[in-house]
Amino acid sequence: MKPLLRWVLDSVLPPSCLVCAEPVEAEGQLCVNCFRRANFVTAPFCACCGVPLNISAPGGDASQLCRACESFRPAFTIARSALHYDDTARRMILPLKYGDQSEASAGLARLMRRPGENMLQAANLLVPVPLHAARLRQRRYNQAAVLAIALARLTGRPLGLDALYRQRRTRPLEGLGEQERRDELAGSIVMKQGMDVQGKRVLVIDDVMTTGATAHQCALALRAGGAARVDVLTVARVADPRLQ
Ligand SMILES: [Zn+2]
Ligand SMILES: [Zn+2]
């Protein structure tokens, strides 16, 4: 949208909820109903990949790993998400596809700050999960990059927008098992030449995490480039990828 038209509309229309049309006090907020409906990720979750665990351990065991991380430890250290990936989360993420929604991305960045507080503070570099150039031309916007920009703005952390790229296209991962996903993605994500991540703590940003296979590839590339540690922060998390 043209900036002037945007300005005129913004000054006429009251700000609306991230999900529905309900008016809210400021852009990027959730209305009371949508906030209630938002399904935030809470303990217990996997100490590594952050997937919500279907256990009700009294007192909670903060070092508990999910079955997937027990059998294969990913190259990232910790992954966390703000929300369960459900219909409300889907509707919140949707505006990012049209890239022009800076208020939506600012609102989502604020939601991500809660589970990502420590990781964001420790991060030397925020890096979005890359889209293949052909997909980017098709879609026009990389949702992960839109979020990384919003998080960098919110926290002042340095941004490595094109630190990673996809050197080949991969087929859709839906319906593939964990090992098949890793095989399909192997070597597909690499670091840009001349990018310096030596000794840095890198935080990889994405909209949705399913099994973490893509995040694992990003972490492999960054660790190979010398990153000291890689963590992952996403808006939403598919609750139990093995059931999808
Ligand atoms: Zn709402
Ligand atoms: Zn896990």
Side-chain angles (χ1 to χ4, degrees):
M1 199 181 287
K2 288 201 183 80
L4 179 63
L5 179 58
R6 182 69 183 241
W7 180 82
V8 170
L9 282 178
D10 282 352
S11 52
V12 176
L13 299 169
S16 60
C17 167
L18 267 181
V19 177
C20 69
E22 195 68 27
V24 288
E25 274 176 32
E27 282 297 351
Q29 289 184 340
L30 290 171
C31 73
V32 178
N33 279 333
C34 290
F35 191 84
R36 264 193 220 123
R37 229 174 289 142
N39 197 356
F40 292 98
V41 173
T42 52
F45 47 73
C46 171
C48 175
C49 76
V51 74
L53 296 171
N54 284 326
I55 48 157
S56 42
D61 177 2
S63 63
Q64 175 99 35
L65 292 178
C66 72
R67 273 182 294 161
C69 289
E70 257 172 9
S71 62
F72 180 89
R73 202 63 194 258
F76 55 79
T77 304
I78 281 177
R80 294 290 180 265
S81 310
L83 298 158
H84 288 259
Y85 188 55
D86 59 11
D87 193 50
T88 306
R90 235 188 309 270
R91 286 168 65 181
M92 281 188 219
I93 292 166
L94 196 66
L96 299 183
K97 284 193 178 163
Y98 309 105
D100 188 30
Q101 302 286 337
S102 55
E103 294 87 0
S105 59
L108 293 173
R110 280 198 295 275
L111 291 182
M112 293 164 90
R113 186 150 69 167
R114 208 181 309 182
E117 186 85 65
N118 296 337
M119 296 192 286
L120 281 161
Q121 262 172 27
N124 306 116
L125 195 66
L126 307 184
V127 171
V129 170
L131 272 185
H132 189 271
R135 292 260 329 258
L136 186 60
R137 271 195 299 277
Q138 238 169 41
R139 285 219 212 145
R140 293 195 50 223
Y141 293 101
N142 176 2
Q143 287 146 266
V146 174
L147 286 169
I149 292 167
L151 276 164
R153 254 185 220 143
L154 185 68
T155 62
R157 308 317 294 163
L159 183 62
L161 214 46
D162 53 0
L164 296 173
Y165 69 96
R166 302 216 187 213
Q167 61 175 352
R168 65 177 169 80
R169 288 192 86 163
T170 48
R171 64 193 163 115
L173 301 177
E174 283 85 35
L176 299 183
E178 283 159 52
Q179 185 59 49
E180 287 173 303
R181 283 173 186 245
R182 279 198 293 274
D183 291 346
E184 177 62 29
L185 290 172
S188 63
I189 296 174
V190 289
M191 228 176 67
K192 195 180 101 177
Q193 271 208 336
M195 191 71 211
D196 180 22
V197 296
Q198 196 67 41
K200 288 183 178 166
R201 272 185 74 154
V202 181
L203 184 56
V204 171
I205 308 295
D206 206 357
D207 54 351
V208 183
M209 181 158 150
T210 307
T211 63
T214 305
H216 169 65
Q217 289 303 325
C218 292
L220 276 182
L222 291 160
R223 294 294 301 275
R229 168 173 168 157
V230 179
D231 294 312
V232 184
L233 182 60
T234 72
V235 177
R237 181 67 205 253
V238 175
D240 186 355
R242 284 152 302 199
L243 302 176
Q244 300 304 303

